[in-house]
Amino acid sequence: MTAILDRATTPTTLASPLRLSLAPDGVRAGRLDGAWWPRSRDLLLELPSLAAEIDERWGRITRVTVNPAQWPLIPRRIPVTGHTVHAGWFTTEQDEHTIAVFSYAPRRLTLLVVPPETDATGAARLMAAAAGPANTSTASDLLAAQTGDGAAKPASRSDFLPSAVAPSNGAGEADRRADIARDRAASWPVPA
């Protein structure tokens, strides 16, 4: 008998540990504050686990910004445990391989987003380099050095998610994923 797991009903991001590497506290960090290696390019499903970890360390996350070159769908609001995170995007102002995380505390984290399809060895190197206090490279520079040819991104958004460019039922799909994320966030224990 073959079991088929439906991503819509299986909380894969909840069961898997968060892949996050941060620069040490108290040390002047370089251009990046660390790296995050999500399992997919679905911000709605990936952000809640990142928010839970950062909320615990630096206070509640209020908003994030990303570059749409790497995220096919960027919802304006993302439900996470106990609150909603506002999401925005920039095409030229922000390196396409980063996520900027803002919290109530006067803190901004700029994290390299390691592409989900990166192998474990390459991801470990990228995460260590991005979290190194002596790092002065941009996220795109680190990825270009990793690939060796400067081709750190897919040729187009349709290369990693064909539905990203097909507007047929985008709003319905976004609503469905928002409902799934809300259900998952509601089942998480509220930190004391």
Side-chain angles (χ1 to χ4, degrees):
M1 177 176 192
T2 303
I4 299 174
L5 300 176
D6 180 9
R7 182 174 181 208
T9 59
T10 306
T12 55
T13 55
L14 294 178
S16 304
L18 179 68
R19 301 182 299 189
L20 177 68
S21 177
L22 296 173
D25 286 337
V27 176
R28 180 170 161 73
R31 289 186 179 192
L32 298 168
D33 297 302
W36 173 45
W37 185 22
R39 288 174 170 72
S40 73
R41 294 187 187 275
D42 189 339
L43 192 59
L44 195 60
L45 294 177
E46 297 292 339
L47 187 67
S49 60
L50 178 65
E53 179 66 26
I54 293 177
D55 282 358
E56 206 172 284
R57 293 182 188 210
W58 287 294
R60 183 172 280 187
I61 289 179
T62 57
R63 64 188 173 102
V64 297
T65 61
V66 296
N67 187 306
Q70 300 300 320
W71 300 97
L73 182 64
I74 303 168
R76 290 181 177 262
R77 293 176 190 86
I78 301 170
V80 299
T81 304
H83 68 287
T84 300
V85 173
H86 295 269
W89 56 270
F90 296 99
T91 55
T92 57
E93 297 89 350
Q94 184 168 343
D95 186 318
E96 68 182 86
H97 300 289
T98 62
I99 182 170
V101 180
F102 302 88
S103 70
Y104 279 127
R107 177 92 181 196
R108 172 191 170 158
L109 294 174
T110 302
L111 303 173
L112 161 70
V113 178
V114 177
E117 62 275 4
T118 305
D119 64 87
T121 304
R125 278 195 296 264
L126 286 167
M127 293 177 79
N135 174 46
T136 58
S137 299
T138 66
S140 289
D141 289 344
L142 286 174
L143 284 165
Q146 175 77 17
T147 61
D149 62 359
K153 64 179 183 174
S156 72
R157 291 170 62 174
S158 62
D159 287 347
F160 56 82
L161 186 61
S163 64
V165 292
S168 58
N169 71 343
E173 179 67 14
D175 290 342
R176 182 186 69 79
R177 291 190 333 207
D179 289 341
I180 292 168
R182 268 191 289 283
D183 291 344
R184 289 180 184 170
S187 68
W188 293 352
V190 177

